[in-house]
């Protein structure tokens, strides 16, 4: 059975970079590795609908960052639910699956809309029940939560959009949404024992190579890779 590792964190934190670096590292160790970016925007109906409400020219009309958490979560769950056969095939043919975002992203981004710990805990129970029990999605074995300050997250997201010739999506443009997602991420990391990797030390940004080393150290605490 493959080990499932989810790389989580707010927008601009470097999830894809660390996913790619980790996959390369594990392949060099002789592991069969697959990496998956979730949502699968161009591959599933749920992914295409998410692309519409977050990234299209009409995104501002949907106000998706303010949609009730459980309702918004349905589109993400829909994308993952449609991907079950695809994911199970990867699990059957690999030693490690690395997710660039997975079920836990709903906790960060939608749980951040909730005001109390009680609401956030109840939402998490609902989200895991929906995806793991009702939809039958495979559970992650380890969550790595990449953490940087909210202001840096927004700055990086803006820089990335400029480099790619576009603009930040509807969620990335909402400052309150980003801050709340950061707070929710740290809350869930604590109660679910996610491994937290800080991207700054002493007010200085750490290099992607250094962060990669921290990620590998966290994984080696749990698995012999």
């Amino acid at each position: 059975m493959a080990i499932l590792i989810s790389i989580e964190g707010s927008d601009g934190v470097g999830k894809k970079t660390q996913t790619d670096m980790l996959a390369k590292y594990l392949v060099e160790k002789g592991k069969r590795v697959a990496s998956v970016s979730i949502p699968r925007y161009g591959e599933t109906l749920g992914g295409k609908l998410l692309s519409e409400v977050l990234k299209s020219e009409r995104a501002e009309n949907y106000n998706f960052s303010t949609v009730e958490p459980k309702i918004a979560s349905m589109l993400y769950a829909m994308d993952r639910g449609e991907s079950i056969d695809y994911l199970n095939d990867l699990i059957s043919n690999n030693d490690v699956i690395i997710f660039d975002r997975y079920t836990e992203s709903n906790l960060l981004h939608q749980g951040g809309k909730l005001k109390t710990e009680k609401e956030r805990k109840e939402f998490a129970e609902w989200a895991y029940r929906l995806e793991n029990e009702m939809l039958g999605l495979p559970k992650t074995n380890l969550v790595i939560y990449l953490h940087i300050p909210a202001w840096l997250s927004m700055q990086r997201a803006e820089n990335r959009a400029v480099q790619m010739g576009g603009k930040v999506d509807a969620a990335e443009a909402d400052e309150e949404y980003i801050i709340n997602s950061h707070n929710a991420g740290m809350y869930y990391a604590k109660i679910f024992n996610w491994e937290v990797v800080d991207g700054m030390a002493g007010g200085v940004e750490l290099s992607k190579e250094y962060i990669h080393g921290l990620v590998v150290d966290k994984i080696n605490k749990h698995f012999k890779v």
Side-chain angles (χ1 to χ4, degrees):
M1 182 65 70
I3 297 170
L4 275 59
I5 301 171
S6 180
I7 307 294
E8 299 290 349
S10 294
D11 295 308
V13 76
K15 295 184 293 295
K16 185 180 187 308
T17 296
Q18 293 304 320
T19 296
D20 292 345
M21 293 180 75
L22 180 59
K24 182 175 182 293
Y25 169 82
L26 292 173
V27 167
E28 290 173 350
K29 288 288 186 178
K31 304 295 184 182
R32 297 175 300 163
V33 182
S35 59
V36 185
S37 181
I38 300 287
R40 299 173 68 212
Y41 286 115
E43 304 297 326
T44 66
L45 176 57
K48 292 173 183 176
L49 292 174
L50 283 165
S51 183
E52 167 68 18
V53 300
L54 289 171
K55 300 176 179 295
S56 75
E57 295 178 355
R58 298 165 295 280
E60 293 181 359
N61 299 330
Y62 298 107
N63 297 315
F64 192 67
S65 64
T66 65
V67 172
E68 198 277 335
K70 289 184 179 179
I71 300 300
S73 295
M74 294 292 189
L75 283 185
Y76 292 97
M78 179 179 176
D79 166 69
R80 287 187 278 272
E82 292 176 85
S83 301
I84 286 179
D85 289 343
Y86 170 73
L87 296 178
N88 284 337
D89 183 62
L90 292 181
I91 290 169
S92 297
N93 292 285
N94 289 278
D95 301 311
V96 183
I97 310 297
I98 309 170
F99 291 102
D100 171 5
R101 297 165 297 183
Y102 193 49
T103 300
E104 287 73 21
S105 282
N106 267 358
L107 275 58
L108 271 66
H109 294 289
Q110 303 310 320
K113 298 175 181 178
L114 302 170
K115 302 302 182 184
T116 69
E117 289 190 4
K118 181 176 183 293
E119 289 177 314
R120 286 180 176 176
K121 185 176 181 181
E122 289 176 348
F123 173 75
E125 292 171 350
W126 173 85
Y128 280 127
R129 187 165 60 249
L130 169 65
E131 299 206 14
N132 297 138
E133 296 179 19
M134 297 178 66
L135 295 179
L137 281 157
K139 297 180 181 180
T140 48
N141 300 110
L142 178 65
V143 178
I144 303 290
Y145 180 69
L146 305 178
H147 177 260
I148 56 174
W151 65 265
L152 181 57
S153 176
M154 291 181 283
Q155 185 181 91
R156 285 184 178 179
E158 291 172 0
N159 291 341
R160 180 184 61 201
V162 170
Q163 292 171 2
M164 297 179 65
K167 60 180 182 179
V168 294
D169 68 30
E172 294 169 338
D174 189 325
E175 182 176 357
E176 181 180 5
Y177 178 87
I178 293 295
I179 292 171
N180 289 339
S181 295
H182 272 70
N183 293 337
M186 292 306 293
Y187 167 74
Y188 287 121
K190 181 178 180 180
I191 68 169
F192 289 120
N193 297 313
W194 298 349
E195 291 287 0
V196 178
V197 173
D198 283 312
M200 294 186 72
V204 178
E205 289 185 52
L206 301 175
S207 70
K208 62 183 180 182
E209 292 80 11
Y210 191 87
I211 294 170
H212 167 66
L214 296 177
V215 169
V216 170
D217 287 344
K218 297 291 188 182
I219 291 171
N220 281 328
K221 284 174 56 180
H222 298 265
F223 312 106
K224 187 176 180 180
V225 296

